[in-house]
Amino acid sequence: MRYSGFKVFTEGLTGNKGWKPVWRDPEPKSEYDIVLIGGGGHGLSTAYYLAKNHGLKNIAVLEKGYIGSGNIGRNTTIVRANYFLPGNSEFYSHSLKLWENLEAELNYNVMHSQRGLINLFHSDGQRDAFARRGNAMINQGDDAILLDREGVRQHLPYLDFDNIRFPVYGALFHPRGGTARHDAVAWGYARGADMRGVDLIQNCEVTGIDIEGGQVRGVRTSRGVIRAKKVAMVAAGRSGQVAAMAGMRLPIESHILQAFVTEGLKPVIHHVVSFGMGHFYISQSDKGGLVFGGDLDFYSSYAQRGNLPMKEHVMEAAMTLMPMIGKARVLRSWGGVMDMSPDGSPIIDKTHIDGLFVNCGWNYGGFKAVPASGWAYAHLIATGEPHETAKRYRLDRFRTGRGIMDEEGTGSQHNLH
Ligand SMILES: Cc1cc2nc3c(=O)[nH]c(=O)nc-3n(C[C@H](O)[C@H](O)[C@H](O)COP(=O)(O)OP(=O)(O)OC[C@H]3O[C@@H](n4cnc5c(N)ncnc54)[C@H](O)[C@@H]3O)c2cc1C
């Protein structure tokens, strides 16, 4: 079913009885050409581009829960292309271009809103670092504007500019940055993949990976054995556990990241804003809730909930930056399991086992990567060659030390090393 304004209008007049399920609920077949382990944003976009870009159809996405139950439905929805290092820079630039056409591509409203991202700085040293980052972004073909203090005030008059510890010096403004509705992205890709013949199999947990003579043969699941010529792991926070089924030990730590939302308020925060002196960032959803988050909880866990000290830390940072937020009431908070790589950059690569592929290490930032990751992973699975935007996301960089991309010290437990 194609969506259109006319369809919404006619359904409104006829009691909304003509809508159909957005994807099928097929039984798993005994064999596929390609099996993807994980129905999060990256698994779904990979399935979509395998079908769309490479004409492959005999594909299953195996999801142990329901579509959208992982980090794809838990993140704070920030989409940006403000990376500095070669390797990351061109990848996220490509991703933002895909975002800019995503609704037309999927015929699905993912509510992509380019409201602008403002990264604040609070010292001369930080200004230099942001100026350098801004130049790298412009070199890559993306947009960046260095704002002085008065420039920031025009956009964000509600900040505490003269905070005694962290006065605002200025900001790096990325106008094409913004947000999108996270679960709509999952649903849009799921629908697009399903329409092209991909089987989306929910409540199907992979419990083992079968390998014979160095070649992958299929997977064992809670719904039976499924044979496959190629198996692609894309399980985000559970990547370490899934790879262990193939006897692999990934350079990944799984950590909790929390997020918070307030009651709905009238429009007050019109951008995505990030504090340069504490790990705190915020935007306002279209429903009016202030959506914000901070740092990791700093212990490894697979629980999708966080601890109280980090909640306190995030609230302190919020009050330091914008004291007005103290009037808002927090509605709820939640956590997601982050696949943290040592250098904070992802992995999209083959493994030493023929036909077995790995996609993980998305850290805090894998939502904005969903389109480009799916694009590049599909290319790798279909052709056997890395896509040009993802050539540097090699697994062996952590063994050889060559090609480490430590973007901003946000990998696993940097502060503890
Ligand atoms: C609180 C929070 C805020 C964030 N904010 C942002 C942000 O603002 N911007 C940004 O870019 N990124 C953000 N992220 C990061 C982003 O959400 C993740 O990097 C990204 O969603 C991970 O990829 P995914 O969508 O494929 O993961 P997931 O949705 O977690 O998908 C992985 C799937 O694999 C399934 N799975 C696991 N094991 C198995 C198995 N054995 N068998 C079958 N299925 C299995 C899981 O059930 C899950 O559905 C945030 C994350 C969190 C938690």
Side-chain angles (χ1 to χ4, degrees):
M1 177 190 296
R2 279 198 68 76
Y3 295 140
S4 66
F6 181 71
K7 178 76 182 156
V8 171
F9 181 71
T10 52
E11 284 297 328
L13 292 178
T14 54
N16 282 306
K17 293 190 182 120
W19 300 112
K20 298 199 179 73
V22 170
W23 55 82
R24 297 165 296 129
D25 186 19
E27 283 300 311
K29 293 194 277 190
S30 59
E31 186 162 0
Y32 290 92
D33 290 339
I34 302 170
V35 157
L36 301 168
I37 306 175
H42 293 252
L44 295 167
S45 64
T46 303
Y48 175 81
Y49 291 118
L50 277 167
K52 167 89 192 305
N53 293 359
H54 303 279
L56 302 171
K57 300 216 179 316
N58 191 19
I59 302 167
V61 177
L62 307 183
E63 168 51 49
K64 74 171 179 166
Y66 59 90
I67 297 295
S69 55
N71 290 339
I72 187 63
R74 291 169 177 268
N75 62 74
T76 41
T77 77
I78 300 169
V79 173
R80 57 187 165 92
N82 62 347
Y83 281 70
F84 175 66
L85 293 178
N88 283 331
S89 187
E90 61 268 32
F91 176 84
Y92 287 100
S93 185
H94 181 227
S95 207
L96 186 52
K97 290 190 187 93
L98 294 174
W99 276 105
E100 287 171 333
N101 191 42
L102 197 58
E103 286 162 352
E105 167 80 27
L106 298 176
N107 176 232
Y108 203 85
N109 184 7
V110 301
M111 296 167 74
H112 184 216
S113 158
Q114 291 183 293
R115 58 189 66 183
L117 166 67
I118 300 185
N119 283 112
L120 298 163
F121 52 78
H122 309 264
S123 70
D124 290 332
Q126 231 185 357
R127 178 192 288 117
D128 289 350
F130 273 119
R132 215 168 154 226
R133 178 175 293 269
N135 287 337
M137 290 159 66
I138 291 166
N139 275 338
Q140 177 57 44
D142 293 314
D143 60 333
I145 301 167
L146 202 64
L147 298 176
D148 62 13
R149 194 175 146 88
E150 288 316 306
V152 176
R153 204 189 294 276
Q154 283 174 17
H155 289 290
L156 315 175
Y158 47 80
L159 297 184
D160 183 3
F161 282 82
D162 298 311
N163 182 282
I164 199 77
R165 288 179 72 199
F166 307 125
V168 174
Y169 275 44
L172 187 62
F173 181 30
H174 173 36
R176 284 168 63 226
T179 58
R181 181 169 172 187
H182 46 16
D183 34 22
V185 174
W187 300 332
Y189 273 117
R191 172 172 172 266
D194 175 86
M195 277 165 53
R196 286 169 175 77
V198 174
D199 282 356
L200 306 178
I201 309 197
Q202 303 182 79
N203 300 311
C204 183
E205 179 172 2
V206 173
T207 54
I209 299 177
D210 288 330
I211 299 156
E212 283 167 27
Q215 165 78 45
V216 78
R217 298 290 178 203
V219 293
R220 273 164 280 144
T221 80
S222 54
R223 296 174 67 175
V225 172
I226 301 176
R227 292 178 66 80
K229 296 187 184 74
K230 295 179 183 176
V231 173
M233 303 182 283
V234 57
R238 300 275 176 173
S239 296
Q241 291 179 327
V242 170
M245 296 174 198
M248 292 175 64
R249 183 154 183 247
L250 290 182
I252 294 290
E253 291 179 18
S254 289
H255 287 260
I256 306 305
L257 181 66
Q258 300 192 57
F260 308 84
V261 66
T262 69
E263 61 193 331
L265 302 170
K266 287 189 176 169
V268 56
I269 293 181
H270 306 298
H271 307 80
V272 180
V273 184
S274 104
F275 187 21
M277 280 293 162
H279 204 140
F280 170 76
Y281 53 92
I282 188 163
S283 65
Q284 187 165 16
S285 78
D286 291 352
K287 279 198 289 188
L290 304 183
V291 180
F292 56 97
D295 219 331
L296 294 175
D297 276 18
F298 292 120
Y299 52 84
S300 300
S301 171
Y302 292 110
Q304 287 176 314
R305 60 178 183 275
N307 66 21
L308 284 171
M310 187 50 68
K311 288 186 171 60
E312 188 177 3
H313 181 81
V314 172
M315 302 304 160
E316 275 175 5
M319 289 297 291
T320 304
L321 184 64
M322 47 179 77
M324 70 164 186
I325 202 173
K327 293 188 177 170
R329 280 174 294 195
V330 173
L331 201 61
R332 60 199 157 84
S333 67
W334 62 92
V337 188
M338 316 304 315
D339 39 330
M340 304 297 294
S341 67
D343 65 356
S345 295
I347 298 162
I348 303 178
D349 207 351
K350 298 179 198 173
T351 69
H352 65 287
I353 297 160
D354 278 351
L356 182 67
F357 301 83
V358 60
N359 174 317
C360 64
W362 293 102
N363 295 269
Y364 306 107
F367 177 62
K368 63 177 134 20
V370 162
S373 165
W375 187 287
Y377 202 29
H379 181 92
L380 177 71
I381 297 165
T383 67
E385 296 298 325
H387 189 260
E388 58 181 340
T389 57
K391 273 189 177 139
R392 299 206 191 199
Y393 292 157
R394 292 175 59 121
L395 175 59
D396 70 359
R397 70 183 188 271
F398 302 106
R399 183 171 50 77
T400 64
R402 283 193 292 278
I404 296 285
M405 279 168 288
D406 196 340
E407 183 74 33
E408 41 195 14
T410 51
S412 51
Q413 306 215 27
H414 273 267
N415 56 338
L416 301 182
H417 293 162

